[in-house]
Amino acid sequence: MAYYRKRRRYRGSSGSPLLNIATMTDPAWIGSAILAGIILFSSWLILPAVFQINPILKILTPLFEMIGSILALIFGFMAFMLFLARDTVPVTPSTTYKPAYQPPKPSQKLQNDNPSPYANPDHEQPIGWSLSLLRDLEWKRFEDLCNEYHRECGLRSTTTGLGADGGVDIRLFHRETGALIAVTQCKAWPDKPIGVELVRQLLGTMTHEKVPTGTFITNGTFTKPAEELAKEDRIILVDGMNFITLIERLPASSQARLLAFATEGDYTTPSCPHCGIKMVPRTNRTTGKKFWGCKNYTKYPPCKKILQMRKGTD
């Protein structure tokens, strides 16, 4: 694939190379067209030149030219039909990989879910994309946004869902064969740069799953060591500013759909990593420090998942 052959050239940059993932389809029509050309070239130029030295084979030259022409016509027609069908392949998750959890749309996920007191129901609806909006998104909405972005680019993708993700949040699949072609890790860390350890974890996942390309998307930034590691290991880093740039390169309709998806309902209160429901603010009785706790803490068995509050939340 052209993208993979040139990936060293990108050296882990965080700009337009992410969009090139949309071209990683290894279209079958190219192979058919090349094969048709090879057959035609061989039957009309190479074989006649070789057969000239043998009187018997020279007699058979017209037969081979006719057979070659028929085969070239067949493969050429196949290439033409595959070329026409290249954009009609449904962009749906691959049947070769079924995630444990497929995130519903925000309207379904937030149904019958009382918002946290820290959620502002009267906040002004954003009219466009900005870095501040991206950094306001809670971690699960940010991951789902990254997945929706890939789909707006025409990719087949699935999310790993809740619980331990093994260093990957999104898997990207070949549009025609369904083969796994890339993995993406997402981190909504606006206040803390992504370090080299998390990038190395993504590299380990790429090696384990035998995929040549990995992408790390954050609404924050990356440390210098993380950027250096990514340069050498086929990893594309996308920080908050670059992600906004990539979204703004999409058609206006795609930008609007992503904005509506990202800002529907309560998009700032974090979801429980285990239960998926909105968390509630709690206070440590010893230190007085506030944190996010799961609503299911009072149920049996209790969910004890907690998340630290972002700066300025409390």
Side-chain angles (χ1 to χ4, degrees), residues 287-308:
T287 63
K289 187 175 182 179
K290 294 181 179 179
F291 61 93
W292 294 108
C294 182
K295 288 182 179 180
N296 290 335
Y297 180 78
T298 58
K299 296 183 179 181
Y300 184 83
C303 178
K304 299 182 180 181
K305 291 290 183 180
I306 65 172
L307 291 175
Q308 299 301 317

mmCIF file of all heavy atoms in Angstrom, residues 287-308:
data_model
loop_
_atom_site.group_PDB
_atom_site.id
_atom_site.type_symbol
_atom_site.label_atom_id
_atom_site.label_comp_id
_atom_site.label_asym_id
_atom_site.label_seq_id
_atom_site.Cartn_x
_atom_site.Cartn_y
_atom_site.Cartn_z
ATOM 1 N N THR A 287 -9.327 14.332 53.092
ATOM 2 C CA THR A 287 -8.561 15.442 52.514
ATOM 3 C C THR A 287 -9.440 16.605 52.054
ATOM 4 O O THR A 287 -8.950 17.707 51.840
ATOM 5 C CB THR A 287 -7.751 14.947 51.311
ATOM 6 O OG1 THR A 287 -8.654 14.489 50.290
ATOM 7 C CG2 THR A 287 -6.837 13.801 51.716
ATOM 8 N N GLY A 288 -10.727 16.346 51.882
ATOM 9 C CA GLY A 288 -11.615 17.376 51.388
ATOM 10 C C GLY A 288 -11.516 17.591 49.894
ATOM 11 O O GLY A 288 -12.165 18.498 49.350
ATOM 12 N N LYS A 289 -10.720 16.769 49.217
ATOM 13 C CA LYS A 289 -10.537 16.910 47.781
ATOM 14 C C LYS A 289 -11.696 16.273 47.042
ATOM 15 O O LYS A 289 -12.156 15.185 47.387
ATOM 16 C CB LYS A 289 -9.219 16.251 47.356
ATOM 17 C CG LYS A 289 -8.854 16.493 45.905
ATOM 18 C CD LYS A 289 -7.487 15.912 45.582
ATOM 19 C CE LYS A 289 -7.104 16.187 44.138
ATOM 20 N NZ LYS A 289 -5.771 15.646 43.804
ATOM 21 N N LYS A 290 -12.178 16.960 46.007
ATOM 22 C CA LYS A 290 -13.309 16.464 45.244
ATOM 23 C C LYS A 290 -12.837 15.576 44.093
ATOM 24 O O LYS A 290 -11.752 15.764 43.547
ATOM 25 C CB LYS A 290 -14.133 17.632 44.716
ATOM 26 C CG LYS A 290 -14.803 18.448 45.818
ATOM 27 C CD LYS A 290 -15.619 19.583 45.242
ATOM 28 C CE LYS A 290 -16.307 20.371 46.373
ATOM 29 N NZ LYS A 290 -17.100 21.507 45.851
ATOM 30 N N PHE A 291 -13.678 14.610 43.729
ATOM 31 C CA PHE A 291 -13.368 13.691 42.637
ATOM 32 C C PHE A 291 -14.678 13.205 42.044
ATOM 33 O O PHE A 291 -15.762 13.430 42.594
ATOM 34 C CB PHE A 291 -12.525 12.515 43.136
ATOM 35 C CG PHE A 291 -13.224 11.683 44.191
ATOM 36 C CD1 PHE A 291 -13.971 10.564 43.839
ATOM 37 C CD2 PHE A 291 -13.130 12.018 45.542
ATOM 38 C CE1 PHE A 291 -14.613 9.798 44.808
ATOM 39 C CE2 PHE A 291 -13.767 11.260 46.519
ATOM 40 C CZ PHE A 291 -14.512 10.152 46.147
ATOM 41 N N TRP A 292 -14.583 12.535 40.905
ATOM 42 C CA TRP A 292 -15.758 11.939 40.279
ATOM 43 C C TRP A 292 -15.900 10.491 40.734
ATOM 44 O O TRP A 292 -14.945 9.724 40.710
ATOM 45 C CB TRP A 292 -15.643 11.975 38.752
ATOM 46 C CG TRP A 292 -15.650 13.341 38.151
ATOM 47 C CD1 TRP A 292 -14.597 14.001 37.595
ATOM 48 C CD2 TRP A 292 -16.769 14.220 38.035
ATOM 49 N NE1 TRP A 292 -14.975 15.232 37.147
ATOM 50 C CE2 TRP A 292 -16.315 15.401 37.399
ATOM 51 C CE3 TRP A 292 -18.112 14.134 38.410
ATOM 52 C CZ2 TRP A 292 -17.146 16.472 37.130
ATOM 53 C CZ3 TRP A 292 -18.949 15.208 38.142
ATOM 54 C CH2 TRP A 292 -18.475 16.360 37.512
ATOM 55 N N GLY A 293 -17.114 10.122 41.143
ATOM 56 C CA GLY A 293 -17.390 8.751 41.554
ATOM 57 C C GLY A 293 -18.562 8.193 40.783
ATOM 58 O O GLY A 293 -19.395 8.930 40.245
ATOM 59 N N CYS A 294 -18.647 6.871 40.717
ATOM 60 C CA CYS A 294 -19.725 6.220 39.978
ATOM 61 C C CYS A 294 -21.009 6.235 40.796
ATOM 62 O O CYS A 294 -20.995 6.051 42.020
ATOM 63 C CB CYS A 294 -19.336 4.783 39.627
ATOM 64 S SG CYS A 294 -20.590 3.907 38.649
ATOM 65 N N LYS A 295 -22.136 6.401 40.121
ATOM 66 C CA LYS A 295 -23.433 6.366 40.797
ATOM 67 C C LYS A 295 -23.739 4.991 41.372
ATOM 68 O O LYS A 295 -24.521 4.864 42.310
ATOM 69 C CB LYS A 295 -24.538 6.765 39.819
ATOM 70 C CG LYS A 295 -24.575 8.232 39.448
ATOM 71 C CD LYS A 295 -25.749 8.499 38.525
ATOM 72 C CE LYS A 295 -25.835 9.972 38.153
ATOM 73 N NZ LYS A 295 -26.988 10.239 37.248
ATOM 74 N N ASN A 296 -23.137 3.979 40.792
ATOM 75 C CA ASN A 296 -23.397 2.609 41.253
ATOM 76 C C ASN A 296 -22.572 2.228 42.470
ATOM 77 O O ASN A 296 -22.515 1.049 42.830
ATOM 78 C CB ASN A 296 -23.132 1.622 40.115
ATOM 79 C CG ASN A 296 -24.176 1.718 39.018
ATOM 80 O OD1 ASN A 296 -25.312 2.139 39.270
ATOM 81 N ND2 ASN A 296 -23.814 1.343 37.810
ATOM 82 N N TYR A 297 -21.935 3.193 43.098
ATOM 83 C CA TYR A 297 -21.152 2.896 44.296
ATOM 84 C C TYR A 297 -22.049 2.381 45.419
ATOM 85 O O TYR A 297 -21.617 1.565 46.247
ATOM 86 C CB TYR A 297 -20.415 4.158 44.761
ATOM 87 C CG TYR A 297 -19.582 3.947 46.001
ATOM 88 C CD1 TYR A 297 -18.351 3.316 45.932
ATOM 89 C CD2 TYR A 297 -20.053 4.367 47.251
ATOM 90 C CE1 TYR A 297 -17.580 3.112 47.060
ATOM 91 C CE2 TYR A 297 -19.297 4.164 48.396
ATOM 92 C CZ TYR A 297 -18.065 3.536 48.299
ATOM 93 O OH TYR A 297 -17.315 3.333 49.432
ATOM 94 N N THR A 298 -23.300 2.838 45.447
ATOM 95 C CA THR A 298 -24.226 2.435 46.515
ATOM 96 C C THR A 298 -24.951 1.147 46.189
ATOM 97 O O THR A 298 -25.703 0.638 47.029
ATOM 98 C CB THR A 298 -25.246 3.550 46.763
ATOM 99 O OG1 THR A 298 -25.949 3.831 45.547
ATOM 100 C CG2 THR A 298 -24.558 4.816 47.243
ATOM 101 N N LYS A 299 -24.774 0.608 44.989
ATOM 102 C CA LYS A 299 -25.448 -0.633 44.618
ATOM 103 C C LYS A 299 -24.561 -1.833 44.919
ATOM 104 O O LYS A 299 -23.394 -1.694 45.266
ATOM 105 C CB LYS A 299 -25.815 -0.591 43.128
ATOM 106 C CG LYS A 299 -26.827 0.494 42.781
ATOM 107 C CD LYS A 299 -27.205 0.434 41.318
ATOM 108 C CE LYS A 299 -28.243 1.506 40.992
ATOM 109 N NZ LYS A 299 -28.644 1.464 39.567
ATOM 110 N N TYR A 300 -25.138 -3.013 44.787
ATOM 111 C CA TYR A 300 -24.357 -4.226 45.022
ATOM 112 C C TYR A 300 -24.284 -5.036 43.734
ATOM 113 O O TYR A 300 -25.307 -5.312 43.100
ATOM 114 C CB TYR A 300 -24.985 -5.071 46.134
ATOM 115 C CG TYR A 300 -24.135 -6.286 46.473
ATOM 116 C CD1 TYR A 300 -23.053 -6.184 47.342
ATOM 117 C CD2 TYR A 300 -24.411 -7.522 45.889
ATOM 118 C CE1 TYR A 300 -22.265 -7.283 47.638
ATOM 119 C CE2 TYR A 300 -23.622 -8.627 46.167
ATOM 120 C CZ TYR A 300 -22.554 -8.498 47.040
ATOM 121 O OH TYR A 300 -21.771 -9.586 47.322
ATOM 122 N N PRO A 301 -23.087 -5.454 43.334
ATOM 123 C CA PRO A 301 -21.801 -5.078 43.944
ATOM 124 C C PRO A 301 -21.468 -3.626 43.604
ATOM 125 O O PRO A 301 -21.804 -3.164 42.508
ATOM 126 C CB PRO A 301 -20.806 -6.043 43.296
ATOM 127 C CG PRO A 301 -21.418 -6.379 41.978
ATOM 128 C CD PRO A 301 -22.902 -6.370 42.183
ATOM 129 N N PRO A 302 -20.819 -2.933 44.501
ATOM 130 C CA PRO A 302 -20.548 -1.511 44.280
ATOM 131 C C PRO A 302 -19.474 -1.301 43.206
ATOM 132 O O PRO A 302 -18.545 -2.093 43.077
ATOM 133 C CB PRO A 302 -20.057 -1.030 45.642
ATOM 134 C CG PRO A 302 -19.473 -2.246 46.281
ATOM 135 C CD PRO A 302 -20.315 -3.401 45.811
ATOM 136 N N CYS A 303 -19.636 -0.247 42.427
ATOM 137 C CA CYS A 303 -18.614 0.152 41.458
ATOM 138 C C CYS A 303 -17.755 1.224 42.119
ATOM 139 O O CYS A 303 -18.250 2.293 42.477
ATOM 140 C CB CYS A 303 -19.254 0.693 40.178
ATOM 141 S SG CYS A 303 -18.042 1.257 38.958
ATOM 142 N N LYS A 304 -16.487 0.961 42.278
ATOM 143 C CA LYS A 304 -15.592 1.866 42.993
ATOM 144 C C LYS A 304 -14.705 2.685 42.068
ATOM 145 O O LYS A 304 -13.700 3.244 42.497
ATOM 146 C CB LYS A 304 -14.729 1.068 43.976
ATOM 147 C CG LYS A 304 -15.541 0.331 45.036
ATOM 148 C CD LYS A 304 -14.647 -0.408 46.012
ATOM 149 C CE LYS A 304 -15.467 -1.136 47.064
ATOM 150 N NZ LYS A 304 -14.598 -1.853 48.031
ATOM 151 N N LYS A 305 -15.088 2.753 40.807
ATOM 152 C CA LYS A 305 -14.287 3.534 39.865
ATOM 153 C C LYS A 305 -14.366 5.021 40.208
ATOM 154 O O LYS A 305 -15.445 5.546 40.503
ATOM 155 C CB LYS A 305 -14.789 3.325 38.433
ATOM 156 C CG LYS A 305 -14.526 1.934 37.876
ATOM 157 C CD LYS A 305 -13.048 1.728 37.629
ATOM 158 C CE LYS A 305 -12.791 0.354 36.999
ATOM 159 N NZ LYS A 305 -11.353 0.124 36.741
ATOM 160 N N ILE A 306 -13.222 5.688 40.180
ATOM 161 C CA ILE A 306 -13.183 7.138 40.420
ATOM 162 C C ILE A 306 -12.300 7.795 39.369
ATOM 163 O O ILE A 306 -11.444 7.141 38.756
ATOM 164 C CB ILE A 306 -12.639 7.465 41.837
ATOM 165 C CG1 ILE A 306 -11.173 7.041 41.967
ATOM 166 C CG2 ILE A 306 -13.501 6.844 42.911
ATOM 167 C CD1 ILE A 306 -10.528 7.505 43.239
ATOM 168 N N LEU A 307 -12.541 9.077 39.142
ATOM 169 C CA LEU A 307 -11.716 9.862 38.221
ATOM 170 C C LEU A 307 -11.400 11.197 38.887
ATOM 171 O O LEU A 307 -12.242 11.753 39.608
ATOM 172 C CB LEU A 307 -12.455 10.109 36.899
ATOM 173 C CG LEU A 307 -12.688 8.897 35.984
ATOM 174 C CD1 LEU A 307 -13.530 9.319 34.788
ATOM 175 C CD2 LEU A 307 -11.374 8.292 35.526
ATOM 176 N N GLN A 308 -10.205 11.681 38.653
ATOM 177 C CA GLN A 308 -9.830 12.978 39.200
ATOM 178 C C GLN A 308 -10.525 14.088 38.408
ATOM 179 O O GLN A 308 -10.751 13.972 37.207
ATOM 180 C CB GLN A 308 -8.317 13.176 39.133
ATOM 181 C CG GLN A 308 -7.528 12.137 39.928
ATOM 182 C CD GLN A 308 -7.899 12.140 41.405
ATOM 183 O OE1 GLN A 308 -8.044 13.215 42.003
ATOM 184 N NE2 GLN A 308 -8.048 10.953 41.981
#
